[in-house]
Amino acid sequence: MAGGGSFTSDQRTAHATADGQLVTGPCRVTSLQAKGGSNCSVKLYDNTSAAGTKVHTFLFDTEGLQIYFPGSGIRFKTGVFLDLTTTGGVTITFN
């Protein structure tokens, strides 16, 4: 692989198809993708459950969702808990 073998990345991915803990411990979410459906929402909490601090809510429909967060991304101090409504799955990139 020309040049690619010498690069390293601190980015990781996590995927979920139901509510639950995506990342345990501090991190920064740098992108989010979600499968479209009817009246979808994705809620991200800075905690180990939905009882934590809700950081962001994303609303979308059949078009799906694809977001890149510029700079250092969104900081989560405790971890990332995901709450899904009518979407088939979510993938985040984080470091």
Side-chain angles (χ1 to χ4, degrees), residues 6 14 18 20 41 43 46 61 63 66 69 77 82-84 87:
S6 63
S41 74
K43 296 175 186 170
D46 186 0
D61 212 63
E63 72 278 3
Q66 184 170 344
F69 303 108
K77 294 179 182 179
L82 176 70
D83 180 358
L84 303 176
T87 182

Side-chain angles (χ1 to χ4, degrees), residues 1-65:
M1 172 187 315
S6 63
F7 297 112
T8 60
S9 175
D10 62 353
Q11 296 290 299
R12 295 177 283 167
T13 59
H15 179 78
T17 57
D19 297 358
Q21 191 75 33
L22 271 177
V23 180
T24 302
C27 72
R28 290 188 176 272
V29 174
T30 55
S31 74
L32 182 145
Q33 293 178 314
K35 183 176 181 180
S38 179
N39 297 318
C40 300
S41 74
V42 171
K43 296 175 186 170
L44 301 177
Y45 293 85
D46 186 0
N47 204 350
T48 56
S49 72
T53 303
K54 183 173 38 172
V55 176
H56 286 283
T57 300
F58 303 94
L59 304 173
F60 55 100
D61 212 63
T62 57
E63 72 278 3
L65 185 67

